[in-house]
Amino acid sequence: MGIAFGVVVACGAVYVLLLLTDGNGFGLFGLPVLALGVGLLRNGVKVLAGVAHSGDRLSQLAFVPAVLAGLGMGGMAAGADWDNDASLTQLAGFVIAFILAVTLIVLCERPATKLYLDEN
């Protein structure tokens, strides 16, 4: 799951980096997002390989999208224009990212995963 989440985040970062061609500077936000996606992908591969402490690192990295999605949902609940179709699409994206990140954290912190990775 960490690998898939990393690929999705990295692809999103590449899309945001492509916005640099518009000349608005918004694409620079793609650089830290790309680093997060590569980190999720790298640690997901390490978890599958059974490398010690990779589960802890993966769950720590998953906190970033969980917190950002939670903040996004709270901000939208506070002042979104619900008549706009884009608001509902944005909210759905935040909810999906939050659920995926929390699921990844729970899977990494399971006792069976910790036993597999010798993190007891």
Side-chain angles (χ1 to χ4, degrees):
M1 184 167 179
I3 294 170
F5 201 32
V7 168
V8 169
V9 170
C11 288
V14 169
Y15 172 72
V16 171
L17 282 170
L18 290 176
L19 293 176
L20 277 174
T21 58
D22 290 342
N24 59 7
F26 181 71
L28 291 177
F29 288 112
L31 293 175
V33 175
L34 183 62
L36 175 67
V38 169
L40 286 167
L41 181 64
R42 180 175 163 258
N43 284 303
V45 169
K46 285 186 174 187
V47 166
L48 286 180
V51 176
H53 303 294
S54 57
D56 287 337
R57 285 190 295 251
L58 185 59
S59 65
Q60 289 171 357
L61 280 173
F63 270 105
V64 174
V67 168
L68 291 177
L71 288 172
M73 288 186 296
M76 289 192 75
D81 180 16
W82 296 109
D83 294 335
N84 190 351
D85 288 338
S87 296
L88 296 177
T89 305
Q90 229 177 3
L91 182 63
F94 283 137
V95 169
I96 290 169
F98 183 78
I99 290 172
L100 287 175
V102 168
T103 304
L104 182 60
I105 293 167
V106 168
L107 288 175
C108 287
E109 296 299 323
R110 289 183 54 223
T113 306
K114 295 221 177 261
L115 182 66
Y116 171 71
L117 297 172
D118 293 328
E119 294 178 355
N120 292 332

